[in-house]
DNA sequence: AGCTTGTTTAGAACTATTCTAATTCTCACT
DNA sequence: AGTGAGAATTAGAATAGTTCTAAACAAGCT
């Protein structure tokens, strides 16, 4: 599983390709979410982004995130009713939520498994998106997945 | 995949076994959620339950649902940030959310697939719960799963 | 009957997110 | 470079699902 590297240029391209404008806010939000590969909430991102652009507003962070999700550069991850978390790892993968810490870990999800999951669907069901999530205990120090710093 | 039948007696037993009291409210909520095997929200359940017990409050519906979930008689299903839905089908199964209608369908999830999913976890990760959900289009009239009226 | 503990209730409170309306920016076109 | 039109940002208000609070109620025990 490789980690695709999204340069700022890639962002600009994706945006303009979708008829959207590459604004400083979008660039900062994107940069910040990529540079630390965890699964921050909008609030956490807001805090990090404000360090670099103190005038940005929370609404804008939400807006930018929505845009990035639309462009396919960021994924949303929801666990129960906890605040939505954002995830720059675009390789198809599952999530493991550590019940003790609340932390999210990426879990590798090989394409053949995805194919097999898709086969569960009866005829007439057409899935555009599959989400797999685990909940449980993670041994401290257990290292998930192989792609980069998570 | 069989549909386990939960009689009111089963509810009483589960409750008392957990040191909880079998109250009329809990029984009504349970009865109502079992008798129509869809995936209602708390609000929808509130409406249905009020027909039988007009004095019940929304908070109580939430309380009862929480209790039922704790007793393992009902499952919560979350899709993105949509209102939590409650599901009396306790056989392990996945969910398919029809993007057009918002409806949820149960999808059969055979035990061997669950086992295989579990194997995705690196050592040190111990899942107590697995959730699999699909999002997409369902051909109208497509019938999911084989257990009862869903 | 009188405690004790668990449950229900109505309404207030909370919180993540979205909406609103005004302002500012970006960019294509002169 | 300047301008106009549409897009994006902003602060704050609004929304909505859910949880909290404090008081009233119920059901066993002694």
């Amino acid at each position: 599983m490789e980690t695709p590297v999204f340069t700022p240029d890639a962002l600009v391209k994706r945006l303009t390709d979708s008829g959207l404008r590459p604004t400083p806010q979008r660039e900062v939000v994107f940069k910040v979410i990529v540079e630390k590969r965890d699964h921050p909430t909008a609030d956490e991102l807001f805090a990090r982004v404000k360090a670099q652009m103190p005038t940005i507003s929370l609404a804008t962070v939400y807006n930018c995130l929505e845009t990035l999700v639309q462009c396919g550069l960021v994924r949303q991850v929801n666990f129960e009713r906890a605040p939505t978390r954002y995830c720059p790892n675009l390789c198809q993968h599952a999530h493991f939520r550590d019940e003790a810490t609340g932390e999210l870990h990426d879990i590798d999800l090989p394409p053949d498994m995805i194919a097999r999951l898709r086969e569960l669907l009866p005829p007439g069901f057409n899935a555009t998106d599959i989400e797999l999530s685990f909940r449980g205990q993670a041994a401290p120090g257990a290292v998930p997945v192989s792609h980069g710093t998570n």
Side-chain angles (χ1 to χ4, degrees), chain A:
Chain A
M1 204 172 177
E2 296 148 38
T3 305
V5 177
F6 290 105
T7 61
D9 286 355
L11 170 63
V12 172
K13 184 168 185 337
R14 286 274 188 122
L15 287 170
T16 50
D17 282 0
S18 312
L20 300 164
R21 294 178 181 170
T23 65
Q25 287 86 345
R26 285 171 179 169
E27 282 166 27
V28 174
V29 170
F30 182 62
K31 179 165 156 281
V32 164
I33 200 174
V34 167
E35 84 190 358
K36 192 168 176 219
R37 309 202 102 231
D38 53 355
H39 299 82
T41 63
D43 252 357
E44 286 164 2
L45 276 171
F46 180 42
R48 291 183 203 170
V49 166
K50 257 202 299 204
Q52 307 196 24
M53 184 185 272
T55 60
I56 201 171
S57 77
L58 178 57
T60 300
V61 172
Y62 274 105
N63 289 342
C64 291
L65 286 170
E66 201 198 325
T67 307
L68 293 173
V69 169
Q70 274 176 23
C71 292
L73 290 167
V74 163
R75 280 182 53 192
Q76 287 179 289
V77 189
N78 288 104
F79 253 88
E80 277 134 48
R81 308 222 92 249
T84 301
R85 293 177 174 275
Y86 296 85
C87 165
N89 178 1
L90 290 172
C91 301
Q92 263 276 24
H93 63 280
H95 287 106
F96 183 98
R97 143 106 138 208
D98 188 333
E99 280 183 318
T101 66
E103 263 172 63
L104 245 51
H105 300 282
D106 287 355
I107 301 293
D108 203 5
L109 183 53
D112 65 296
M113 183 61 83
I114 297 172
R116 243 180 260 149
L117 290 175
R118 217 173 265 281
E119 284 165 16
L120 295 175
L121 295 173
F125 285 81
N126 208 324
T128 58
D129 192 61
I130 301 180
E131 231 186 275
L132 174 63
S133 34
F134 302 87
R135 199 159 49 84
Q137 282 85 41
V143 176
V145 133
S146 46
H147 60 274
T149 50
N150 262 284

